């Protein structure tokens, strides 16, 4: 087992998903159960805030609402409209569920920025937003899964399961897998964004406490509110989809719900520009920006080392430092057999790093296209899924090269009963990698666009700095996880 920096453990089947954590945690021992006290305490505080606010606001309801009552009626109207848009005319019974999800996540996210959790001392660990823990986000995602299964079964009875063989029984495995991708994508997206936001705030405030706090806090509040809206919208869309005849719903901003692994490439925002080459439709935007990134990387390396020196200086010195960093990262995660994997890990890290930075530093918008506009390659899920699948190929190759066909024995360890879960693990790895990277980069770019359009004279510099920092962290996380998965596949125990 390799240990990833900051104690973020690699996922080991669905059971060990609860082991993904940062730092020490505080637990209560209740009988034979170990209860995650940090999450319970902060969740109870959030629930108390919600219940207390509602009770205070509507303790004396008026025919013509004012103050708090007016605010909560507006929130209810907003949730009703969201539910109706996604679910359809039968939205009524689902408003309480969608509303509870939205409000709990919204207040939980905001509590991470507004409540002074750190002043409460615990024997181990420290308090933070409930959604800063993957146990919470997975629980919310599983509740959503239960909800859309219940909606479909209530509407169609056992005939609901006929969807798994539509439009052809050949797609049965993919259609079943779709019901795993939904909760996984919901939980990883929410957890990854909230955790990243809190880590960025902590680091920046510690570096420049007199400059950053206010704009960074505003940015965190905005993005955490967007995450609550996205979760509630997707939850409502999945419920609506399960009650439809054709099992397809469209989400605002053209973000399509995942329809099996094939349609994962359909997740997009706005219009896109395609080239028609023969019978193939090629995503021109991604190709153009990827070629630019590759050209930047190759050109920089060629210029830096065109006259190599025994004692490196300038660009050569910088690239040797980067190479040393990548070698150390690979050795930490893979072990003594890291050597052959340094080029792969380095390519992943540098491509993602430069791609992410290109979204903030390159003037993509000045290049006019017939449809859509250019953006960072990692702003498109096709790119992140391709990178994640390359990583999957790499760790399968590493395991097979080291152990031959005996590598597949891991699927029945420690018992053949776990065969389905062990197989599913190899689907969760690329899914988690791709959704984490895509979700964070897309969210960063949307936030920058919105904030700069609102307050162009104040926000650009700190927002750009924050975007560069977080996008660099995303490249490091992806490369670290890729190396960890390769190291894990080469170990004796899985």
């Amino acid at each position: 087992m390799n240990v990833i920096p900051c104690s973020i453990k690699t996922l080991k089947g669905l059971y060990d998903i609860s082991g993904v954590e940062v730092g020490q945690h505080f637990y209560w021992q209740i009988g034979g159960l170990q209860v995650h006290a940090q999450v319970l305490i902060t969740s109870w505080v959030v629930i108390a805030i919600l219940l207390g606010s509602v009770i205070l606001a509507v303790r004396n309801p008026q025919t013509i609402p004012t103050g708090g009552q007016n605010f909560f009626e507006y929130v209810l109207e907003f949730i009703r409209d969201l539910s109706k848009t996604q679910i359809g005319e039968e939205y009524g019974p689902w408003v309480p569920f969608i509303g509870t999800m939205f409000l709990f996540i919204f207040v939980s996210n905001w509590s991470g920025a507004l409540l002074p959790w750190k002043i409460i001392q615990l024997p181990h660990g420290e308090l933070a937003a409930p959604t800063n823990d993957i146990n919470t986000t997975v629980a919310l995602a599983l509740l959503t899964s239960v909800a859309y299964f219940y909606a479909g079964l209530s509407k169609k009875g056992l005939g609901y399961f006929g969807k798994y063989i539509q439009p052809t029984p050949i797609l049965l495995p993919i259609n079943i897998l779709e019901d795993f991708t939904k909760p996984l994508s919901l939980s990883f997206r929410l957890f990854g964004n909230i955790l990243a936001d809190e880590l960025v705030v902590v680091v920046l405030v510690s570096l420049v406490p007199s400059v950053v706090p206010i704009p960074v806090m505003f940015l965190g509040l905005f993005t955490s509110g967007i995450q609550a809206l996205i979760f509630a919208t997707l939850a409502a869309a999945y419920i609506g989809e399960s009650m439809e005849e054709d099992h397809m719903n469209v989400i605002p901003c053209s973000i399509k719900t995942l329809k099996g692994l094939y349609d994962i490439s359909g997740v997009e925002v706005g219009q896109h520009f395609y080239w028609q080459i023969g019978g193939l439709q090629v995503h021109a935007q991604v190709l153009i920006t990827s070629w630019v990134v590759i050209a930047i990387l190759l050109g920089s390396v060629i210029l830096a080392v065109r006259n190599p020196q025994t004692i490196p200086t300038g660009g050569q010195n910088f690239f040797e430092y980067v190479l040393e960093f990548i070698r150390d990262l690979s050795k930490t995660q893979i072990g003594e057999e890291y050597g052959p994997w340094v080029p792969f890990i380095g390519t992943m890290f540098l491509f993602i790093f430069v791609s992410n930075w290109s979204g903030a530093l390159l003037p993509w918008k000045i290049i006019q296209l017939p449809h859509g506009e250019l953006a960072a390659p990692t702003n498109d899920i096709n790119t992140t899924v391709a990178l994640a699948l390359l990583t999957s190929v790499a760790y399968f190759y590493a395991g097979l090269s080291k152990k031959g066909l005996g590598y597949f024995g891991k699927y029945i360890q420690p018992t053949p009963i776990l065969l389905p879960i062990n197989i599913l693990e190899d689907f969760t790895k690329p899914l988690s990698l791709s959704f984490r990277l895509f979700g964070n980069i897309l969210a960063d770019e949307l936030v920058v666009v919105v904030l700069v359009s609102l307050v162009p004279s104040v926000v650009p510099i700190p927002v750009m700095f924050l975007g560069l920092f977080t996008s660099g962290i995303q490249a490091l996380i992806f490369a670290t996880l890729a190396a960890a998965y390769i190291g894990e596949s080469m170990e004796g125990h899985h």
Side-chain angles (χ1 to χ4, degrees), residues 272-332:
H272 285 250
F273 175 50
Y274 297 92
W275 286 328
Q276 196 70 35
I277 302 177
L280 296 176
Q281 196 177 46
V282 180
H283 201 325
Q285 286 162 285
V286 172
L287 281 183
I288 293 170
T289 54
S290 296
W291 289 338
V292 171
V293 168
I294 293 169
I296 291 172
L297 283 169
L298 291 177
S300 301
V301 172
I302 291 170
L303 288 173
V305 298
R306 65 186 186 281
N307 295 312
Q309 306 295 320
T310 306
I311 300 175
T313 58
Q316 182 185 345
N317 189 52
F318 171 76
F319 276 103
E320 288 194 12
Y321 170 78
V322 172
L323 176 60
E324 191 67 28
F325 170 77
I326 293 168
R327 287 179 59 192
D328 290 344
L329 186 153
S330 302
K331 186 174 182 179
T332 301

Coordinates of all heavy atoms in Angstrom, one line a residue, residues 272-332:
H272 N -20.4 23.7 -28.7 CA -19.1 23.2 -29.0 C -18.9 23.2 -30.5 O -19.9 23.1 -31.3 CB -18.9 21.9 -28.4 CG -18.6 21.9 -26.9 ND1 -17.4 21.7 -26.3 CD2 -19.5 22.2 -25.9 CE1 -17.5 21.8 -25.0 NE2 -18.8 22.1 -24.7
F273 N -17.6 23.3 -30.9 CA -17.3 23.3 -32.3 C -16.7 22.0 -32.7 O -15.7 21.5 -32.1 CB -16.3 24.4 -32.6 CG -15.7 24.5 -34.0 CD1 -16.6 24.5 -35.1 CD2 -14.3 24.6 -34.2 CE1 -16.0 24.5 -36.3 CE2 -13.8 24.6 -35.4 CZ -14.7 24.6 -36.5
Y274 N -17.2 21.3 -33.8 CA -16.8 20.0 -34.2 C -16.3 20.0 -35.6 O -16.8 20.8 -36.4 CB -17.9 19.0 -34.1 CG -18.4 18.8 -32.6 CD1 -19.5 19.5 -32.1 CD2 -17.8 17.9 -31.8 CE1 -19.9 19.4 -30.8 CE2 -18.3 17.7 -30.5 CZ -19.3 18.4 -30.0 OH -19.8 18.3 -28.7
W275 N -15.3 19.2 -35.9 CA -14.9 18.9 -37.3 C -15.6 17.6 -37.7 O -15.5 16.6 -37.0 CB -13.4 18.8 -37.4 CG -12.7 20.1 -37.3 CD1 -13.1 21.3 -37.7 CD2 -11.3 20.3 -36.8 NE1 -12.2 22.2 -37.5 CE2 -11.1 21.6 -36.9 CE3 -10.4 19.4 -36.2 CZ2 -9.9 22.2 -36.5 CZ3 -9.2 19.9 -35.8 CH2 -8.9 21.3 -35.9
Q276 N -16.1 17.6 -39.0 CA -16.7 16.3 -39.5 C -15.6 15.7 -40.4 O -15.3 16.2 -41.5 CB -17.9 16.6 -40.3 CG -18.8 15.4 -40.6 CD -19.5 14.9 -39.3 OE1 -19.9 15.6 -38.4 NE2 -19.6 13.6 -39.2
I277 N -15.0 14.6 -40.0 CA -14.0 13.9 -40.7 C -14.5 12.5 -41.1 O -14.6 11.6 -40.3 CB -12.7 13.8 -39.9 CG1 -12.2 15.2 -39.5 CG2 -11.6 13.1 -40.7 CD1 -10.9 15.2 -38.7
G278 N -14.9 12.4 -42.4 CA -15.6 11.2 -42.8 C -16.9 11.0 -42.0 O -17.7 11.9 -41.9
G279 N -17.0 9.8 -41.4 CA -18.2 9.6 -40.5 C -18.0 9.9 -39.1 O -18.9 9.6 -38.3
L280 N -16.8 10.6 -38.8 CA -16.5 10.9 -37.4 C -16.8 12.4 -37.1 O -16.5 13.2 -37.9 CB -15.1 10.5 -37.0 CG -14.7 9.0 -37.1 CD1 -13.2 8.9 -36.8 CD2 -15.5 8.2 -36.0
Q281 N -17.3 12.6 -35.9 CA -17.4 14.0 -35.4 C -16.3 14.3 -34.4 O -16.3 13.7 -33.3 CB -18.8 14.2 -34.8 CG -19.2 15.7 -34.7 CD -20.6 15.8 -34.2 OE1 -21.0 15.2 -33.2 NE2 -21.4 16.7 -34.8
V282 N -15.4 15.1 -34.7 CA -14.2 15.3 -33.9 C -14.3 16.6 -33.1 O -14.7 17.7 -33.7 CB -12.9 15.4 -34.7 CG1 -11.7 15.6 -33.9 CG2 -12.8 14.1 -35.5
H283 N -14.1 16.6 -31.8 CA -14.2 17.8 -31.0 C -13.0 18.7 -31.2 O -11.9 18.6 -30.6 CB -14.2 17.3 -29.5 CG -14.8 18.3 -28.6 ND1 -14.6 19.6 -28.7 CD2 -15.5 18.1 -27.4 CE1 -15.3 20.2 -27.7 NE2 -15.8 19.4 -26.9
A284 N -13.2 19.7 -32.1 CA -12.1 20.5 -32.6 C -11.5 21.4 -31.5 O -10.3 21.6 -31.4 CB -12.6 21.4 -33.7
Q285 N -12.4 21.9 -30.6 CA -11.9 22.8 -29.5 C -10.9 22.1 -28.7 O -9.8 22.7 -28.4 CB -13.1 23.2 -28.6 CG -14.0 24.2 -29.3 CD -15.3 24.3 -28.6 OE1 -16.2 23.4 -28.8 NE2 -15.6 25.3 -27.8
V286 N -11.1 20.8 -28.3 CA -10.2 20.1 -27.4 C -8.9 19.8 -28.2 O -7.8 20.0 -27.6 CB -10.8 18.8 -26.9 CG1 -9.8 17.9 -26.2 CG2 -12.0 19.1 -26.0
L287 N -9.0 19.5 -29.5 CA -7.8 19.2 -30.2 C -6.9 20.4 -30.4 O -5.7 20.4 -30.2 CB -8.2 18.6 -31.6 CG -8.6 17.2 -31.7 CD1 -8.9 16.8 -33.1 CD2 -7.5 16.3 -31.1
I288 N -7.6 21.5 -30.7 CA -6.8 22.8 -30.9 C -6.0 23.2 -29.7 O -4.8 23.5 -29.7 CB -7.7 23.9 -31.4 CG1 -8.3 23.6 -32.8 CG2 -7.0 25.3 -31.4 CD1 -9.4 24.6 -33.2
T289 N -6.7 23.2 -28.5 CA -6.1 23.7 -27.3 C -5.1 22.6 -26.8 O -4.0 23.0 -26.2 CB -7.2 23.9 -26.2 OG1 -8.0 22.7 -26.0 CG2 -8.0 25.1 -26.6
S290 N -5.3 21.4 -27.0 CA -4.3 20.3 -26.7 C -3.1 20.5 -27.5 O -2.0 20.3 -26.9 CB -4.9 18.9 -26.8 OG -6.0 18.7 -25.9
W291 N -3.2 20.7 -28.8 CA -2.0 20.9 -29.6 C -1.2 22.1 -29.1 O 0.0 22.1 -29.2 CB -2.4 21.1 -31.1 CG -2.9 19.9 -31.7 CD1 -2.7 18.6 -31.3 CD2 -3.8 19.8 -32.9 NE1 -3.4 17.7 -32.1 CE2 -4.1 18.4 -33.1 CE3 -4.4 20.7 -33.7 CZ2 -4.9 18.0 -34.1 CZ3 -5.2 20.3 -34.7 CH2 -5.4 18.9 -35.0
V292 N -1.9 23.2 -28.7 CA -1.2 24.4 -28.2 C -0.4 24.0 -27.0 O 0.7 24.4 -26.8 CB -2.2 25.5 -28.0 CG1 -1.5 26.7 -27.3 CG2 -2.8 26.0 -29.3
V293 N -1.1 23.3 -26.1 CA -0.4 22.9 -24.8 C 0.8 22.1 -25.1 O 1.9 22.3 -24.5 CB -1.4 22.2 -23.9 CG1 -0.6 21.5 -22.7 CG2 -2.4 23.2 -23.4
I294 N 0.7 21.1 -26.0 CA 1.8 20.2 -26.4 C 2.9 21.0 -27.0 O 4.1 20.8 -26.7 CB 1.3 19.1 -27.3 CG1 0.4 18.1 -26.6 CG2 2.5 18.3 -27.9 CD1 -0.3 17.2 -27.5
A295 N 2.6 22.0 -27.8 CA 3.6 22.8 -28.5 C 4.3 23.7 -27.4 O 5.5 23.9 -27.5 CB 2.9 23.8 -29.5
I296 N 3.6 24.2 -26.4 CA 4.2 25.0 -25.4 C 5.2 24.1 -24.6 O 6.4 24.5 -24.3 CB 3.2 25.5 -24.4 CG1 2.3 26.6 -25.1 CG2 3.8 26.1 -23.1 CD1 1.1 27.1 -24.3
L297 N 4.8 22.9 -24.3 CA 5.7 22.0 -23.5 C 6.9 21.6 -24.3 O 8.1 21.8 -23.8 CB 4.9 20.7 -23.1 CG 3.9 20.8 -22.0 CD1 3.1 19.6 -21.9 CD2 4.7 21.1 -20.7
L298 N 6.7 21.2 -25.6 CA 7.9 20.8 -26.4 C 8.8 22.0 -26.7 O 10.0 21.9 -26.6 CB 7.4 20.2 -27.7 CG 6.7 18.8 -27.6 CD1 6.2 18.4 -29.0 CD2 7.7 17.8 -27.0
G299 N 8.2 23.1 -27.0 CA 9.0 24.3 -27.3 C 9.8 24.7 -26.1 O 11.0 25.1 -26.2
S300 N 9.2 24.7 -24.9 CA 9.9 25.1 -23.7 C 11.1 24.2 -23.4 O 12.2 24.7 -23.0 CB 8.9 25.1 -22.5 OG 7.8 26.0 -22.7
V301 N 10.9 22.9 -23.5 CA 12.0 22.0 -23.2 C 13.1 22.1 -24.2 O 14.3 22.2 -23.9 CB 11.4 20.5 -23.2 CG1 12.6 19.5 -23.1 CG2 10.4 20.3 -22.1
I302 N 12.7 22.3 -25.5 CA 13.8 22.4 -26.6 C 14.6 23.7 -26.3 O 15.8 23.7 -26.4 CB 13.1 22.4 -28.0 CG1 12.6 21.0 -28.3 CG2 14.2 22.8 -29.0 CD1 11.7 21.0 -29.5
L303 N 13.9 24.8 -26.0 CA 14.7 26.0 -25.8 C 15.5 26.0 -24.5 O 16.6 26.5 -24.5 CB 13.7 27.2 -25.6 CG 13.0 27.6 -26.9 CD1 11.9 28.7 -26.6 CD2 14.0 28.2 -27.9
A304 N 15.0 25.3 -23.5 CA 15.7 25.3 -22.2 C 17.0 24.4 -22.3 O 18.0 24.7 -21.6 CB 14.8 24.7 -21.1
V305 N 17.0 23.3 -23.1 CA 18.1 22.4 -23.0 C 18.8 22.3 -24.4 O 19.5 21.3 -24.7 CB 17.7 21.0 -22.6 CG1 17.1 21.0 -21.2 CG2 16.6 20.4 -23.5
R306 N 18.7 23.3 -25.2 CA 19.3 23.3 -26.5 C 20.8 23.3 -26.4 O 21.6 22.8 -27.3 CB 18.8 24.4 -27.5 CG 19.1 25.8 -27.0 CD 18.4 26.8 -27.9 NE 18.8 28.2 -27.6 CZ 18.4 28.9 -26.6 NH1 17.5 28.3 -25.8 NH2 18.8 30.1 -26.4
N307 N 21.3 24.0 -25.3 CA 22.8 24.0 -25.1 C 23.0 23.5 -23.6 O 23.3 24.3 -22.7 CB 23.3 25.4 -25.3 CG 23.2 25.9 -26.7 OD1 23.6 25.2 -27.6 ND2 22.7 27.1 -26.9
P308 N 22.9 22.2 -23.4 CA 23.0 21.7 -22.0 C 24.4 22.0 -21.4 O 25.4 21.9 -22.1 CB 22.8 20.2 -22.2 CG 23.1 19.9 -23.6 CD 22.8 21.1 -24.4
Q309 N 24.4 22.4 -20.1 CA 25.6 22.7 -19.4 C 25.8 21.7 -18.3 O 24.8 21.2 -17.7 CB 25.4 24.1 -18.8 CG 25.1 25.2 -19.8 CD 26.2 25.5 -20.8 OE1 27.4 25.4 -20.4 NE2 25.8 25.7 -22.0
T310 N 27.1 21.5 -17.9 CA 27.4 20.6 -16.8 C 26.8 21.2 -15.5 O 26.2 20.4 -14.7 CB 28.9 20.4 -16.7 OG1 29.4 20.0 -17.9 CG2 29.2 19.4 -15.6
I311 N 26.9 22.5 -15.3 CA 26.3 23.1 -14.2 C 25.1 23.9 -14.7 O 25.2 24.9 -15.4 CB 27.3 24.1 -13.5 CG1 28.5 23.3 -13.0 CG2 26.6 24.8 -12.3 CD1 29.6 24.2 -12.4
P312 N 23.9 23.4 -14.5 CA 22.7 23.9 -15.2 C 22.4 25.3 -14.7 O 22.6 25.6 -13.5 CB 21.6 22.9 -14.9 CG 22.1 22.3 -13.6 CD 23.6 22.2 -13.7
T313 N 21.9 26.2 -15.6 CA 21.4 27.5 -15.2 C 20.1 27.8 -16.0 O 19.8 27.1 -16.9 CB 22.4 28.6 -15.6 OG1 22.7 28.5 -17.0 CG2 23.7 28.4 -14.8
G314 N 19.4 28.8 -15.5 CA 18.2 29.2 -16.2 C 17.1 28.1 -16.5 O 16.8 27.4 -15.5
G315 N 16.7 28.0 -17.7 CA 15.7 27.1 -18.1 C 16.1 25.6 -17.8 O 15.3 24.8 -17.4
Q316 N 17.3 25.3 -18.1 CA 17.8 23.9 -17.8 C 17.7 23.6 -16.4 O 17.3 22.5 -16.0 CB 19.3 23.8 -18.3 CG 19.8 22.3 -18.1 CD 21.3 22.2 -18.5 OE1 21.8 23.1 -19.2 NE2 21.9 21.1 -18.1
N317 N 18.1 24.5 -15.5 CA 18.0 24.3 -14.1 C 16.6 24.1 -13.6 O 16.3 23.2 -12.8 CB 18.6 25.5 -13.4 CG 18.8 25.3 -11.9 OD1 19.4 24.3 -11.5 ND2 18.3 26.2 -11.1
F318 N 15.7 24.9 -14.2 CA 14.3 24.8 -13.8 C 13.7 23.4 -14.2 O 13.1 22.7 -13.4 CB 13.5 25.9 -14.5 CG 12.0 25.7 -14.4 CD1 11.3 26.0 -13.2 CD2 11.2 25.2 -15.4 CE1 10.0 25.8 -13.1 CE2 9.8 25.0 -15.3 CZ 9.2 25.3 -14.1
F319 N 14.0 22.9 -15.4 CA 13.5 21.6 -15.9 C 14.1 20.5 -15.1 O 13.5 19.4 -14.9 CB 13.6 21.5 -17.4 CG 12.5 22.1 -18.2 CD1 12.7 23.3 -18.8 CD2 11.3 21.5 -18.2 CE1 11.6 23.9 -19.5 CE2 10.2 22.1 -18.9 CZ 10.4 23.3 -19.5
E320 N 15.4 20.6 -14.7 CA 16.0 19.6 -13.9 C 15.4 19.5 -12.5 O 15.2 18.4 -12.0 CB 17.5 19.8 -13.8 CG 18.3 19.5 -15.1 CD 19.8 19.4 -15.0 OE1 20.2 19.4 -13.8 OE2 20.5 19.4 -16.0
Y321 N 15.0 20.7 -12.0 CA 14.3 20.7 -10.7 C 12.9 20.0 -10.9 O 12.5 19.2 -10.0 CB 14.1 22.1 -10.3 CG 13.2 22.3 -9.1 CD1 13.6 21.9 -7.8 CD2 11.9 22.6 -9.3 CE1 12.8 22.0 -6.7 CE2 11.0 22.7 -8.2 CZ 11.4 22.4 -6.9 OH 10.6 22.5 -5.8
V322 N 12.2 20.3 -12.0 CA 10.9 19.7 -12.2 C 11.1 18.1 -12.3 O 10.3 17.4 -11.7 CB 10.2 20.2 -13.4 CG1 9.0 19.4 -13.8 CG2 9.9 21.7 -13.2
L323 N 12.1 17.7 -13.1 CA 12.4 16.3 -13.2 C 12.7 15.6 -11.9 O 12.2 14.5 -11.6 CB 13.5 16.1 -14.2 CG 14.0 14.6 -14.4 CD1 12.8 13.8 -15.0 CD2 15.2 14.5 -15.3
E324 N 13.4 16.3 -11.1 CA 13.8 15.8 -9.7 C 12.5 15.6 -8.9 O 12.3 14.6 -8.2 CB 14.8 16.7 -9.0 CG 15.4 16.1 -7.8 CD 16.3 14.9 -8.1 OE1 16.8 14.8 -9.2 OE2 16.4 14.0 -7.2
F325 N 11.7 16.6 -9.0 CA 10.4 16.6 -8.2 C 9.5 15.4 -8.7 O 9.0 14.7 -7.8 CB 9.6 17.9 -8.5 CG 8.2 17.9 -7.9 CD1 8.0 18.1 -6.6 CD2 7.2 17.8 -8.8 CE1 6.6 18.0 -6.1 CE2 5.9 17.8 -8.4 CZ 5.6 17.9 -7.0
I326 N 9.4 15.2 -10.0 CA 8.6 14.1 -10.5 C 9.2 12.8 -10.1 O 8.5 11.8 -9.8 CB 8.4 14.2 -12.0 CG1 7.6 15.5 -12.3 CG2 7.8 13.0 -12.6 CD1 7.6 15.9 -13.8
R327 N 10.5 12.7 -10.2 CA 11.2 11.4 -9.7 C 10.9 11.1 -8.3 O 10.6 10.0 -7.9 CB 12.7 11.5 -10.0 CG 13.1 11.5 -11.4 CD 14.6 11.6 -11.6 NE 15.3 10.5 -10.8 CZ 16.6 10.5 -10.6 NH1 17.4 11.6 -11.0 NH2 17.2 9.5 -9.9
D328 N 11.0 12.1 -7.4 CA 10.7 11.9 -6.0 C 9.3 11.5 -5.8 O 9.0 10.6 -5.0 CB 11.0 13.2 -5.2 CG 12.5 13.5 -5.1 OD1 13.3 12.6 -5.4 OD2 12.9 14.6 -4.8
L329 N 8.4 12.1 -6.5 CA 6.9 11.8 -6.3 C 6.7 10.3 -6.8 O 6.0 9.6 -6.1 CB 6.1 12.7 -7.2 CG 4.6 12.6 -7.1 CD1 3.9 14.0 -7.4 CD2 4.0 11.6 -8.1
S330 N 7.3 10.0 -7.9 CA 7.1 8.6 -8.5 C 7.7 7.6 -7.5 O 7.1 6.5 -7.2 CB 7.8 8.5 -9.8 OG 7.2 9.4 -10.7
K331 N 8.9 7.9 -7.0 CA 9.6 6.9 -6.1 C 8.8 6.7 -4.8 O 8.6 5.6 -4.3 CB 11.0 7.4 -5.7 CG 11.8 6.4 -4.9 CD 13.2 6.9 -4.7 CE 14.0 5.8 -3.9 NZ 15.5 6.3 -3.8
T332 N 8.2 7.8 -4.3 CA 7.4 7.8 -3.0 C 6.2 6.9 -3.2 O 5.8 6.1 -2.3 CB 6.9 9.2 -2.6 OG1 8.1 10.0 -2.4 CG2 6.1 9.1 -1.3

